[in-house]
Amino acid sequence: MTRPTLSDAALGWGSYVSTSVGGSAEGADGDHEDADAEGPDWPVDVIRNDDARPPYAQVADILRREILEGTYSPGSQLPPAREIQERFKVANSTAQNAYRSLKQAGLV
């Protein structure tokens, strides 16, 4: 069995960074901070309770920034949802919604 192409979605294969990453850092919903702005003054792995956005949007923004900064290069596999759950202390549905947001933005 071969790995699906980047345009395919298959349960168990994971999520991959789009090979066309580049261009705008703004998410599909427009709630992303300017990618050139200084980084946050809190640990990036912490979901902020004082942030009015839902946790999935916060997680998606952190992952979006990491993709655009090259932590996850084009074509590379993103961590599995379980790892995102543990890293950010969020529910599986939150991790899945973060990935869905990245997909809608064309990053995954």
Side-chain angles (χ1 to χ4, degrees), residues 17-105:
V17 177
S18 173
T19 55
S20 63
V21 168
S24 175
E26 188 171 326
D29 51 6
D31 63 358
H32 184 269
E33 295 177 358
D34 182 13
D36 294 329
E38 255 187 64
D41 59 354
W42 68 90
V44 295
D45 288 0
V46 175
I47 300 302
R48 297 180 59 189
N49 291 330
D50 61 342
D51 189 329
R53 296 173 304 140
Y56 85 86
Q58 295 181 53
V59 170
D61 276 352
I62 292 167
L63 293 173
R64 181 181 295 110
R65 182 172 41 247
E66 291 175 349
I67 289 169
L68 296 173
E69 290 174 349
T71 302
Y72 302 108
S73 60
S76 68
Q77 186 173 11
L78 291 173
R82 177 161 304 287
E83 190 174 313
I84 296 301
Q85 286 176 256
E86 292 171 7
R87 176 180 171 188
F88 295 102
K89 308 293 185 235
V90 295
N92 181 278
S93 60
T94 298
Q96 295 298 331
N97 284 334
Y99 279 153
R100 189 172 297 115
S101 174
L102 294 172
K103 185 175 181 178
Q104 290 171 345

